[in-house]
Amino acid sequence: DVCARVREISDMPILILTARTSESDMVRAFNVGADDFIKKPFNKSELEVRVRALLRRTIHRSNGSAFITYYRDPILDIDLCSGIVKLYGKIVKLSPREFSLLGYLVHVRGKVATYHELTQEVWGEYQSNGASVVALNICNLRRKLRDGQFGHQYIRTNWGRGYWFEPYPEEDNSAHGGVPKETQIDSE
């Protein structure tokens, strides 16, 4: 359960070290998002090598850039670590799938996330009706975020391909009652 929750909000590497040795436990771990699995008893050298390999792949996958943990602008706050989303300072209640979808779009901001990519990342497996499942969740997410009602649309559509997250433009900050330029994407 912890692995599945972490995977909803982050793509950090997850290695499971466990006394559970059945094949079904290992398969379940990978299905909920684990990157590697080691059964007890284990060899310390093997653990070190596997951790180094996961970290190497993580740096390669992110092209050396830091992981995004927070997005903030005058309208919207998204904390990818805590799972809290605020609209004008008020908490927006999102389902775990909606938050995972939003988190992934923020993580790959500026890039179109295809339907296939979104179903893999958010649902963890291929969905035969992936485009319609993603579209329904995007519709709910837009409604809850009141996307577009405050002069900026965050979730954009690339018809036939997927969606992308459009950060709030810095030059428009003055249009919201003199709010100072705070648009930022913090990373660790």
Side-chain angles (χ1 to χ4, degrees):
D1 291 340
V2 171
C3 183
R5 180 65 182 129
V6 168
R7 190 53 70 222
E8 286 178 1
I9 61 173
S10 174
D11 63 354
M12 76 171 72
I14 299 172
L15 182 141
I16 294 186
L17 176 62
T18 181
R20 293 180 171 232
T21 59
S22 76
E23 185 178 335
S24 63
D25 290 326
M26 183 173 64
V27 169
R28 184 168 185 268
F30 284 117
N31 282 337
V32 295
D35 295 295
D36 204 349
F37 188 95
I38 298 178
K39 300 173 190 174
K40 291 182 182 179
F42 66 95
N43 178 300
K44 182 181 175 218
S45 299
E46 180 185 2
L47 175 64
E48 290 173 2
V49 169
R50 287 177 183 256
V51 168
R52 276 199 293 288
L54 282 173
L55 293 174
R56 225 180 8 255
R57 282 195 301 258
T58 301
I59 291 168
H60 176 69
R61 190 172 61 220
S62 67
N63 294 326
S65 64
F67 289 108
I68 297 166
T69 59
Y70 203 85
Y71 171 85
R72 180 176 55 217
D73 68 36
I75 300 170
L76 187 63
D77 288 330
I78 304 168
D79 187 335
L80 296 173
C81 292
S82 71
I84 296 174
V85 176
K86 293 181 182 178
L87 187 65
Y88 278 117
K90 294 186 179 180
I91 293 177
V92 178
K93 294 187 188 252
L94 300 178
S95 73
R97 296 258 193 224
E98 291 163 347
F99 180 78
S100 186
L101 190 57
L102 179 62
Y104 186 74
L105 290 172
V106 168
H107 180 71
V108 299
R109 74 198 175 284
K111 173 186 170 281
V112 174
T114 65
Y115 300 116
H116 179 74
E117 199 177 330
L118 290 167
T119 58
Q120 285 292 115
E121 290 294 326
V122 176
W123 283 264
E125 57 190 31
Y126 175 73
Q127 303 276 323
S128 60
N129 58 347
S132 58
V133 170
V134 171
L136 176 62
N137 280 272
I138 289 286
C139 180
N140 291 337
L141 188 54
R142 283 177 170 158
R143 181 180 44 79
K144 289 180 179 181
L145 293 177
R146 297 166 50 187
D147 200 19
Q149 293 182 21
F150 301 107
H152 179 70
Q153 185 175 3
Y154 291 96
I155 301 172
R156 304 291 180 99
T157 304
N158 184 317
W159 294 105
R161 279 199 70 217
Y163 301 92
W164 82 91
F165 182 84
E166 180 73 30
Y168 187 82
E170 288 186 39
E171 62 273 6
D172 287 351
N173 284 351
S174 60
H176 289 275
V179 176
K181 272 189 170 180
E182 292 178 343
T183 302
Q184 63 185 25
I185 296 178
D186 296 332
S187 55
E188 291 185 340

